[in-house]
Amino acid sequence: MAFTPLNALNAFLAVARRRSFAAAAADLGISPSALSQSVRQLEARLGVTLLTRTTRSVALTEAGQRLLENAGPAVDQALESLKTASARPGEVTGRIRLSVPSMSVKTVIAPLLPRFVARYPKVEVDVRVEDRFVDIVAEGLDAGVRLTESIERDMVQVRLSGPSRFVVVAAPAYLARRGTPEKPDDLLAHDCICIRAPTRGGRYAWELERGKKSWRVPVRGPVTTDDWSLMKALAEEGVGLMYTFEPLIAAELTRGSLRVVLEPYAPVVPGLFLYFPSRAQVSPALRAFVSMAREGMAGPGR
């Protein structure tokens, strides 16, 4: 990679956002060694250390954090301007970078993207599926999807789905063998398919509520995973109880391979929302995506 200040700055931003030379190099289509050299040249030019590197991790120095926060949005806007300069009048081009949780893929993202790509073929959509809490500003993303209670107050929110429940479900075979829990504490005596918490790495305590009372039950079971499809497969095979977002298992509930238990204790959430910074200059591509998302929600009862 030939050294120019802008090339080097873009290289640094990619590493700073991904916290990985390998991942950033793959994004940019260059080798990790060329990327590392470019960042080192930028550090030499500036006379400061921007990144601290170990064999396992990459972290920002104070100077690196300042450069990421100050230069990142400007570089993103400049690159977006280059992409739109050659567009015909009225044509939407560019790139949208999204961070979405796995629970949103089947319910809102997969139904929305085919229509969006068909209508806006010149827009590239980069979707990162990850269940950790992502700082979309720091990581150079345009928007994200979350439950509304997890979104920062200074973000613009656009509804993607209606209110839904989190439910405990099990296969009929499991219930015939082990019985049906009647209250939250009964879960402690059952085999549960445990969810690995995305941030702490431990087991997620299942959240239930009824009226003004709520429970966080530290369930146990033979398997702990963060993969939803594996949880569903195990639940259908009768391995244990599963805690999940109800829209994800609509088909299984209809055909009876899974049944809801503890229904009076199922918490209701307002739904999934697309969010992006209120102070950001919204690109034409993101504006088009937001418009289509709103179209999808237009209907009775929404």
Side-chain angles (χ1 to χ4, degrees):
M1 173 184 274
F3 180 83
T4 68
L6 285 178
N7 276 347
L9 180 57
N10 194 44
F12 160 74
L13 292 173
V15 177
R17 287 163 170 166
R18 297 285 266 160
R19 298 296 199 271
S20 164
F21 277 89
D27 290 345
L28 295 174
I30 62 175
S31 69
S33 59
L35 181 59
S36 180
Q37 180 182 5
S38 184
V39 173
R40 282 198 301 270
Q41 288 174 322
L42 179 63
E43 290 176 322
R45 175 72 66 91
L46 297 176
V48 295
T49 300
L50 300 172
L51 301 167
T52 56
R53 310 158 174 85
T54 70
T55 56
R56 294 187 177 183
S57 65
V58 175
L60 289 168
T61 64
E62 184 178 346
Q65 184 65 40
R66 286 198 305 271
L67 185 59
L68 171 63
E69 293 174 355
N70 294 331
V75 171
D76 291 342
Q77 185 174 345
L79 292 174
E80 186 68 24
S81 298
L82 290 175
K83 292 178 182 178
T84 59
S86 60
R88 295 191 299 271
E91 183 179 48
V92 179
T93 64
R95 185 183 187 191
I96 305 171
R97 292 153 297 186
L98 302 174
S99 172
V100 309
S102 56
M103 63 187 283
S104 73
V105 173
K106 180 179 178 181
T107 55
V108 295
I109 299 300
L112 176 60
L113 279 183
R115 294 187 292 112
F116 182 79
V117 171
R119 188 181 299 181
Y120 302 104
K122 295 292 185 69
V123 176
E124 178 186 347
V125 185
D126 182 347
V127 182
R128 299 182 187 176
V129 181
E130 46 197 350
D131 288 323
R132 67 186 177 92
F133 287 109
V134 176
D135 185 337
I136 60 172
V137 176
E139 298 194 24
L141 303 173
D142 299 296
V145 173
R146 285 185 190 171
L147 296 171
T148 185
E149 59 264 31
S150 302
I151 299 174
E152 294 84 351
R153 291 183 179 179
D154 61 346
M155 294 283 176
V156 177
Q157 298 187 38
V158 177
R159 178 179 289 278
L160 294 176
S161 71
S164 300
R165 303 186 302 176
F166 278 89
V167 293
V168 179
V169 298
Y174 176 87
L175 299 175
R177 186 175 76 250
R178 295 292 307 275
T180 301
E182 301 293 339
K183 56 185 186 297
D185 290 344
D186 291 348
L187 293 172
L188 298 173
H190 278 266
D191 290 331
C192 297
I193 301 165
C194 302
I195 305 167
R196 181 179 296 111
T199 52
R200 301 182 304 277
R203 292 188 181 99
Y204 169 75
W206 293 5
E207 298 181 59
L208 302 169
E209 61 184 38
R210 188 172 190 178
K212 295 183 179 180
K213 190 172 181 180
S214 61
W215 292 261
R216 288 178 56 85
V217 185
V219 298
R220 293 280 190 174
V223 178
T224 299
T225 180
D226 57 4
D227 185 82
W228 173 82
S229 60
L230 176 59
M231 293 180 209
K232 182 172 72 72
L234 294 173
E236 288 189 288
E237 288 296 324
V239 172
L241 298 165
M242 176 189 182
Y243 182 86
T244 187
F245 193 46
E246 190 172 22
L248 292 175
I249 53 163
E252 289 75 18
L253 294 177
T254 298
R255 67 172 177 256
S257 62
L258 292 174
R259 295 179 183 171
V260 176
V261 300
L262 294 171
E263 192 154 14
Y265 300 91
V268 178
V269 294
L272 291 165
F273 289 76
L274 181 75
Y275 69 98
F276 50 91
S278 59
R279 295 184 298 275
Q281 181 175 345
V282 178
S283 69
L286 180 57
R287 193 157 50 243
F289 190 82
V290 170
S291 177
M292 183 163 283
R294 286 184 169 132
E295 284 179 23
M297 280 305 301
R302 294 187 177 186

